[in-house]
Amino acid sequence: MTTSSSVSLLGGRAWRAMLAIALTLLLSACGFHLRGSNGSFMLPFATMYIGLPDTSPLAIGLKRYIRAIGSTEVVNTKDGADAVLEVLSDPERNRTKTILSLNKNGRVQEYQLGYSINFRVLDKAGNQLLAPTTISLVRPITFDESQVLAKETEEAALYRDMRNDLVQQIMRRLAAIKPVLPAMSVAPVAPVTPVAPAAPQQ
């Protein structure tokens, strides 16, 4: 092999390595959390019921994500569902906004936004597959009295970001559940790389 062809081969390998790193960073930035060698979330049950109102932004995000996977069916009633996600504390009712810091004039300079959920997972026989689990997220946001509308828009975007993060974290916990046979049907092994859920409309 000539010197020029060796340099070309080395350059090609370096380029492919840089491309792989860039793609990994891009996926992480878009909200992907890879699981396993093929980057797929596999839920260990064939059917699932989400115990949130149909209009709940979090429920919409979870259902969209699970349906994108394709191996688990989201059902409308918990009767006969292999897994029931029972929400013990609705995050939409537990959103918080607390003062984080004040400026030298004693006015609010920064808030802390909070978003949390407490849930558990049961099988069709009422056995607990996942003990009550709490996920809490916080985001800081600066405040400027001269930019109230812009800050309201930023606040809504941060809540959407936390909601999407919550969907990802819930999915990881669901995927880690060990199936209990014969109390539940096992989802067919046909992993599909999930799609990051779209941000629900406020």
Side-chain angles (χ1 to χ4, degrees), residues 155-196:
E155 180 178 318
L158 286 172
Y159 276 122
R160 285 196 299 271
D161 176 67
M162 285 190 283
R163 188 180 302 124
N164 288 339
D165 192 356
L166 208 59
V167 168
Q168 296 281 338
Q169 294 200 38
I170 290 172
M171 289 298 299
R172 284 201 295 272
R173 285 161 174 77
L174 293 178
I177 293 175
K178 304 299 182 184
V180 180
L181 302 176
M184 57 195 289
S185 303
V186 180
V189 181
V192 177
T193 302
V195 178

Side-chain angles (χ1 to χ4, degrees), residues 79-150:
D79 297 335
D82 295 312
V84 175
L85 191 151
E86 185 178 79
V87 176
L88 306 175
S89 177
D90 189 341
E92 297 304 325
R93 296 180 179 179
N94 291 327
R95 299 200 313 185
T96 59
K97 182 179 180 180
T98 57
I99 296 174
L100 194 59
S101 64
L102 302 174
N103 61 22
K104 62 183 180 180
N105 298 318
R107 295 185 177 181
V108 176
Q109 179 175 279
E110 192 175 21
Y111 284 105
Q112 178 169 278
L113 307 180
Y115 197 76
S116 65
I117 186 174
N118 181 251
F119 68 100
R120 64 176 181 169
V121 180
L122 308 174
D123 66 14
K124 64 178 62 177
N127 300 313
Q128 193 165 260
L129 298 173
L130 178 66
T133 300
T134 299
I135 303 174
S136 298
L137 304 172
V138 293
R139 297 285 191 277
I141 181 173
T142 57
F143 180 71
D144 187 340
E145 292 180 345
S146 65
Q147 300 179 9
V148 174
L149 291 179

Side-chain angles (χ1 to χ4, degrees), residues 50-62:
I50 306 295
L52 283 167
D54 290 339
T55 56
S56 164
L58 181 61
I60 293 171
L62 278 169

